[in-house]
Amino acid sequence: MASVEQAPAAAQGGTGIPVENPATGETIATLPTLSASAVKALVARARAAQPAWEAIGFEERGRVLRRAQKWVTDNSERIIATIVSETGKTYEDAQLAEIMYAAAAFGFWAKEAPHFLADEPMKSANPLVKGKKLVVRYRPVGVVGVIGPWNFPLTNSFGDCIPALAAGNAVILKPSEVTPLTSLLMAEGLRAAGLPDDVFQVATGDGATGSALIDHVDFVMFTGSTKTGKKVMERAAKTLTPVGLELGGKDPMIVLADADLDRAANAAAYYSMNNGGQVCISIERVYVEAPAYDEFVRKVTDRVKSLRQGRPSGPGSIDVGAVTFPPQLDIIEAHVADAVAKGARVLTGGRAAPGPGMFYEPTVLVDVDHTMSCMTEETFGPTLPIMKVADADEALRLANDSPYGLQASVWTKDLRRGEQLARRVEAGAVCVNDAQVNYTALELPMGGWKSSGLGTRHGAGGIRKYTQQQTLLVTRFAGKRDPHMFPYSKRVTKLIGGLTRLLYGRGKRA
Ligand code: NDP
């Protein structure tokens, strides 16, 4: 394993980035910003190490991943402490959505990679290939560049690194400059699990480091904002490098009048405020049918008012942590101010909480509409705007009135109606009477529609994207010359015409 993570900034040909604890404002580390030439050198090392990693096969790679799984569970307290220190999130948010996810993911991909990437024998109806062996196989692309965001430094980066490694690729991870420490700790874990040198490396740095990575790798897996995702795709176009994009969301929650309002209110409070609302699949806006509106708003507001916010100090200490990324606080404040200026009411919260550290009070907004940025742009904070609608059709129209299409939820006791409505929502994943937990089912594809992304993670597609499909056709029994080969003759041409009519010409005329 390369020791780039331990090297001083100067040795990496770059400058230093301070890493802050957002809950205290203290600087907890300074790390190198890798230059473009340093990134190029990392990729060269990865490229040299990759063939041997591919050659050892699924079983041996699986052994390494299972040892890494054990390392994660054995070192969970250390990893949680690192995540909490660089994100300011609660112990519970780090435990449930990061440790549990990563531990599951190492086992899942170790077990499933050989199945998802097994050779697929194919049959074809075309008589030209009758009797031939037809196979689709999956070959690792080589070096995968993973560029990760700051909201889930373990889940959102390693959720992609693990399947890329399981497929036989070398991986270079560029973590967010805001939260690089978890990635460096995980590099230590992978080394302890026996991952060969240079198969996984961390390129610490800023946007320019990420951009440089795109130029040299064989696939770019990017998780982050839609704005940066577009830049990544544009850069990748220069080298025709394929990209996977997991981008922003503005997830709607639709509450029908017959919903279990206690469950819906608990879920609305939790799935909009967990991880401080800094979840790509956070509930970001709610549409409630008029008959249930008052009761729902009261129940949600009661729950949100009781949330404890502050500096996390271990299990059970607080419910809502810090805002991890300083500019995010400005966005949250701007969305709430814009809503209030246009007539929204704040039922609880509505302002930044006192420091040290960066906090925004858990906030419920009502009397909102789609002229307000809090209903149309990603807020990514502990805010919940709730809008009254006449009926399910209006809720659906408003839910789909968005450039995003990541995830959504529908709440009703009528499961048939709920599922029908879910199928009409323009989003990559829709839950009925639930939210977010679909992400933990690694068998289910996860990916955004519209401006929320390109491609999927999880499921077969979540690993096949790190491979190139190769078609193999093997002719076993054949004569010296097939009838369609040169020289052309009238007789064969007529025969082929007749065969075409026989095979495909029997349909009814329109
Ligand atoms: P950003 O888009 O700001 O950054 C993501 C990563 O890209 C960071 O590592 C960043 O580096 C890097 N980067 C910045 N500029 C470039 C560039 N020009 N070329 C290559 N890489 C670059 O996202 P955030 O970190 O702010 O993450 C929050 C966003 O991520 C939200 O929109 C959220 O919805 C989305 N997200 C989506 C998920 C999904 O699965 N769909 C999951 C989680 C988050 P640096 O930080 O050092 O600037």
Side-chain angles (χ1 to χ4, degrees):
M1 174 73 54
S3 58
V4 60
E5 59 269 22
Q6 265 82 40
Q12 295 302 322
T15 50
I17 319 172
V19 181
E20 266 189 21
N21 179 332
T24 63
E26 289 159 0
T27 297
I28 52 177
T30 302
L31 291 169
T33 304
L34 264 61
S35 64
S37 60
V39 169
K40 192 175 170 194
L42 285 195
V43 178
R45 283 177 15 207
R47 217 169 268 300
Q50 186 271 333
W53 175 241
E54 178 184 348
I56 61 170
F58 289 114
E59 208 171 304
E60 198 47 47
R61 289 199 294 273
R63 262 195 274 281
V64 173
L65 296 179
R66 285 196 186 90
R67 284 197 296 267
Q69 179 182 43
K70 175 89 171 63
W71 187 90
V72 167
T73 51
D74 288 350
N75 290 274
S76 59
E77 290 304 322
R78 214 175 135 208
I79 306 171
I80 289 173
T82 304
I83 295 173
V84 169
S85 74
E86 64 180 349
T87 60
K89 69 174 70 179
T90 66
Y91 182 98
E92 286 75 11
D93 288 332
Q95 182 191 54
L96 186 70
E98 305 235 55
I99 295 291
M100 204 173 158
Y101 176 92
F106 276 114
F108 176 82
W109 293 113
K111 178 164 174 271
E112 298 301 342
H115 306 299
F116 289 143
L117 301 184
D119 280 7
E120 292 179 325
M122 305 298 279
K123 284 204 161 60
S124 171
N126 197 307
L128 284 183
V129 294
K130 274 281 171 279
K132 298 176 195 291
K133 181 180 173 187
L134 311 176
V135 178
V136 176
R137 55 86 61 135
Y138 299 92
R139 187 191 165 189
V141 290
V143 181
V144 173
V146 174
I147 301 176
W150 45 260
N151 62 339
F152 289 103
L154 179 54
T155 293
N156 272 335
S157 296
F158 286 84
D160 294 311
C161 295
I162 299 166
L165 290 169
N169 295 289
V171 172
I172 297 183
L173 166 62
K174 206 302 275 180
S176 168
E177 65 190 295
V178 183
T179 56
L181 302 179
T182 305
S183 300
L184 298 177
L185 180 57
M186 286 300 294
E188 184 189 321
L190 287 168
R191 192 165 42 230
L195 191 74
D197 281 357
D198 297 339
V199 170
F200 175 78
Q201 301 172 85
V202 179
T204 56
D206 54 14
T209 309
S211 201
L213 185 61
I214 297 167
D215 295 344
H216 304 291
V217 294
D218 304 306
F219 186 94
V220 180
M221 183 59 228
F222 173 85
T223 305
S225 63
T226 299
K227 188 171 157 219
T228 312
K230 287 179 182 172
K231 286 189 202 162
V232 167
M233 198 165 170
E234 201 179 325
R235 181 88 178 210
K238 292 187 202 306
T239 45
L240 267 188
T241 303
V243 295
L245 304 174
E246 295 285 348
L247 309 176
K250 187 74 191 168
D251 294 4
M253 173 186 200
I254 298 175
V255 182
L256 301 185
D258 72 338
D260 174 340
L261 293 186
D262 283 310
R263 177 168 173 77
N266 281 322
Y270 179 70
Y271 290 116
S272 65
M273 312 270 165
N274 66 332
N275 212 53
Q278 301 159 118
V279 185
C280 54
I281 49 174
S282 242
I283 292 175
E284 284 248 341
R285 52 195 170 120
V286 188
Y287 304 99
V288 191
E289 278 192 315
Y293 177 80
D294 289 337
E295 193 182 343
F296 177 81
V297 168
R298 186 174 47 73
K299 284 178 189 286
V300 172
T301 308
D302 286 350
R303 282 158 179 81
V304 172
K305 272 184 179 159
S306 69
L307 296 176
R308 298 161 300 158
Q309 186 176 45
R311 182 184 169 185
S313 59
S317 57
I318 51 153
D319 302 307
V320 179
V323 174
T324 303
F325 184 47
Q328 204 63 41
L329 194 57
D330 301 334
I331 295 172
I332 302 167
E333 285 186 316
H335 284 194
V336 174
D338 168 71
V340 170
K342 290 172 180 161
R345 279 184 300 133
V346 176
L347 298 187
T348 183
R351 58 192 175 137
M358 289 175 299
F359 295 93
Y360 196 87
E361 290 179 355
T363 297
V364 175
L365 292 164
V366 291
D367 299 343
V368 291
D369 61 40
H370 276 218
T371 65
M372 302 171 186
S373 52
C374 72
M375 293 299 280
T376 56
E377 293 170 25
E378 188 180 44
T379 308
F380 225 55
T383 57
L384 188 64
I386 308 174
M387 183 171 174
K388 190 195 289 186
V389 292
D391 53 26
D393 280 341
E394 188 186 8
L396 184 73
R397 185 178 57 74
L398 290 165
N400 287 341
D401 176 27
S402 172
Y404 294 111
L406 193 54
Q407 176 137 340
S409 62
V410 176
W411 301 76
T412 172
K413 288 192 186 125
D414 183 340
L415 300 185
R416 201 163 151 267
R417 187 171 171 229
E419 200 181 316
Q420 279 171 352
L421 198 59
R423 285 169 187 267
R424 294 167 65 201
V425 178
E426 293 165 2
V430 189
C431 297
V432 177
N433 297 327
D434 230 314
Q436 284 186 18
V437 286
N438 55 299
Y439 201 90
T440 65
L442 300 176
E443 298 77 4
L444 291 175
M446 173 71 218
W449 292 4
K450 303 198 270 188
S451 293
S452 288
L454 194 64
T456 55
R457 55 163 62 110
H458 302 165
I463 188 164
R464 288 186 182 157
K465 66 186 173 186
Y466 299 123
T467 65
Q468 300 189 93
Q469 277 188 352
Q470 187 177 48
T471 288
L472 298 169
L473 180 151
V474 180
T475 293
R476 294 168 286 195
F477 321 106
K480 304 272 179 231
R481 175 182 168 275
D482 291 342
H484 63 273
M485 291 177 181
F486 293 135
Y488 289 154
S489 74
K490 252 189 189 167
R491 189 181 66 84
V492 174
T493 302
K494 271 193 173 169
L495 265 174
I496 291 175
L499 186 66
T500 307
R501 280 191 295 280
L502 182 73
L503 289 174
Y504 311 118
R506 282 183 292 184
K508 291 203 174 90
R509 291 220 166 80

